[in-house]
Amino acid sequence: MKRILTLTVLSAFFIMTGAKETNTQNFSAMEQLNLTDKWDKTFPESDKAEHRKVTFPNRYGITLAADLYIPKNMTGQLPAIAVCGPFGAVKEQAAGLYAQELAEMGFITLAFDPSFTGESGGQPRYMTSPDINTEDFSAAVDYLVTNPMVHPEAVGILGICGWGGIAINAAASDPRIKATVASTMYDMSRVTSNGYFDAEDSADARNSGRRQLAAQRTEDFRTGTPALAGGVPDTLPDDAPKFLRDYYDYYKTSRGYHPRSLNSNGGRNVTSAIPWINFPLMSRAGEIENAVMIVHGEKAHSFYFGSDAYKKLTVTPGKENSKLFVVVPGASHTDLYDQKDKIPFDTIEKFFREYLK
């Protein structure tokens, strides 16, 4: 009780002493980003939605770049959805595809690049963070709830792959998010700390990883250049598992390759893994009061992430349909990146229409 009182008093003090003015000054000094003015997406441009580039700051002062998709001939305020993912991708890939499809259905959508990635700001480049990346979703919500075209009480988010887990984490911390969809999700903290299928879930394995990461951190400081972990390899080994072949077919071919994509190229910083080991996502998923839908392919190697995440959610009696787990028959993990015949857009649309109104 004493700690809560102390935090309340401190918060009141900062408000009374001009914190609002300071924040305004910080936000007015956003980074100047170099945004391309050409259509460089991995999918064709729609004639049913308008597109424009926008920027906005997150709470840490990093300027994020985004593509805003607006239904043509819109009238009044519309529900809106912020979209990001997959983990290691950029907004010109799967996130943009989802955003444009949902805009055609009548939603205002915002596909954004995470901090340190793509056209967004932040240094060093190619870093990731469970805290900052969760904040990125809430920063996108900041932009949407203050946009005059958007109904401020009808804002949702959609995360793909690793950003599905981050989306659930954001929903747990930000009640402005009225509906969340996690598509073909990864729990990045679980796979980083435990390995695939929890095969390395031991203190010895984690401590071995920590020692390697600590040594790399020293080397990065010495050289002044963070080492990259490497994206999807340019050449697959003969014994590559199917999920790696699926990643290759998306990130390394004309289907999904993009020059700014981490997974298509050099990958994120090696030391990005450090915080994901110790800071588990979704620890408060059971406290999400608003709607959540997890969508997963039946054949996805990542299926267990979505299945287990769903078990964490609290289903309120009488509101069972506000927490859903949707299984797409026969679909693999990457099928739900861009295969429009397999992504259940009709189900996603119905879910958002029910809870964004």
Side-chain angles (χ1 to χ4, degrees):
M1 183 69 183
K2 181 179 179 181
R3 176 178 171 79
I4 294 173
L5 179 61
T6 300
L7 291 173
T8 302
V9 171
L10 284 173
S11 298
F13 173 78
F14 289 134
I15 291 171
M16 290 188 295
T17 54
K20 182 176 181 180
E21 180 181 354
T22 302
N23 286 340
T24 302
Q25 291 172 351
N26 286 342
F27 286 168
S28 66
M30 289 195 299
E31 301 164 89
Q32 296 301 306
L33 304 181
N34 182 23
L35 306 180
T36 182
D37 59 0
K38 66 179 181 178
W39 183 270
D40 61 348
K41 324 298 185 196
T42 59
F43 50 90
E45 187 172 6
S46 171
D47 60 2
K48 299 177 183 178
E50 298 177 2
H51 161 267
R52 66 184 67 162
K53 288 291 185 73
V54 300
T55 61
F56 54 91
N58 71 14
R59 193 164 51 88
Y60 295 107
I62 299 170
T63 302
L64 303 183
D67 289 308
L68 185 68
Y69 295 89
I70 305 166
K72 287 192 174 179
N73 304 315
M74 66 163 285
T75 58
Q77 290 184 314
L78 297 181
I81 304 162
V83 187
C84 196
F87 201 75
V90 287
K91 63 187 181 303
E92 289 75 18
Q93 296 172 304
L97 173 66
Y98 272 75
Q100 183 171 260
E101 289 290 317
L102 289 167
E104 289 184 353
M105 297 172 182
F107 300 94
I108 290 175
T109 58
L110 186 74
F112 65 91
D113 281 333
S115 295
F116 316 109
T117 303
E119 291 186 305
S120 286
Q123 293 290 338
R125 304 305 293 164
Y126 316 127
M127 188 59 75
T128 66
S129 162
D131 181 19
I132 296 174
N133 291 150
T134 298
E135 159 61 20
D136 289 341
F137 257 130
S138 284
V141 173
D142 291 340
Y143 175 85
L144 291 172
V145 298
T146 58
N147 189 308
M149 294 185 294
V150 172
H151 185 330
E153 295 298 323
V155 173
I157 62 175
L158 188 152
I160 307 162
C161 184
W163 279 84
I166 295 169
I168 293 174
N169 202 51
S173 64
D174 192 339
R176 298 175 302 170
I177 299 168
K178 304 304 182 185
T180 300
V181 171
S183 180
T184 194
M185 67 156 284
Y186 257 58
D187 180 341
M188 292 308 304
S189 56
R190 180 175 177 181
V191 73
T192 304
S193 61
N194 297 353
Y196 277 110
F197 305 105
D198 301 323
E200 300 172 17
D201 183 11
S202 71
D204 287 344
R206 280 186 286 274
N207 281 327
S208 176
R210 290 179 179 115
R211 285 190 289 271
Q212 294 176 50
L213 290 167
Q216 184 62 58
R217 182 171 178 152
T218 301
E219 185 62 19
D220 288 353
F221 189 84
R222 180 178 288 117
T223 64
T225 304
L228 297 180
V232 176
D234 292 331
T235 303
L236 289 177
D238 293 338
D239 61 348
K242 182 182 183 303
F243 76 87
L244 183 55
R245 295 182 182 279
D246 288 345
Y247 283 137
Y248 183 94
D249 287 343
Y250 181 75
Y251 285 108
K252 289 295 186 175
T253 70
S254 58
R255 171 184 164 193
Y257 176 84
H258 197 278
R260 290 192 293 273
S261 166
L262 279 65
N263 286 346
S264 289
N265 298 283
R268 62 193 63 83
N269 289 349
V270 173
T271 57
S272 284
I274 291 173
W276 298 95
I277 296 174
N278 289 350
F279 296 94
L281 294 176
M282 298 183 291
S283 61
R284 296 285 184 261
E287 298 176 10
I288 299 174
E289 296 179 325
N290 292 327
V292 178
M293 182 169 74
I294 298 172
V295 180
H296 234 112
E298 176 192 20
K299 302 295 185 181
H301 69 282
S302 54
F303 185 89
Y304 73 106
F305 290 128
S307 176
D308 288 356
Y310 178 70
K311 295 171 187 175
K312 292 178 180 288
L313 301 177
T314 299
V315 178
T316 304
K319 297 182 179 180
E320 287 80 5
N321 288 337
S322 69
K323 303 291 194 302
L324 297 175
F325 185 49
V326 176
V327 179
V328 181
S332 71
H333 179 82
T334 56
D335 281 343
L336 300 191
Y337 283 8
D338 65 338
Q339 300 301 293
K340 291 165 63 173
D341 60 330
K342 295 184 178 181
I343 300 170
F345 278 117
D346 53 346
T347 303
I348 294 172
E349 178 188 8
K350 180 180 178 181
F351 178 79
F352 278 130
R353 290 216 180 278
E354 174 66 23
Y355 295 104
L356 298 183
K357 58 185 180 181

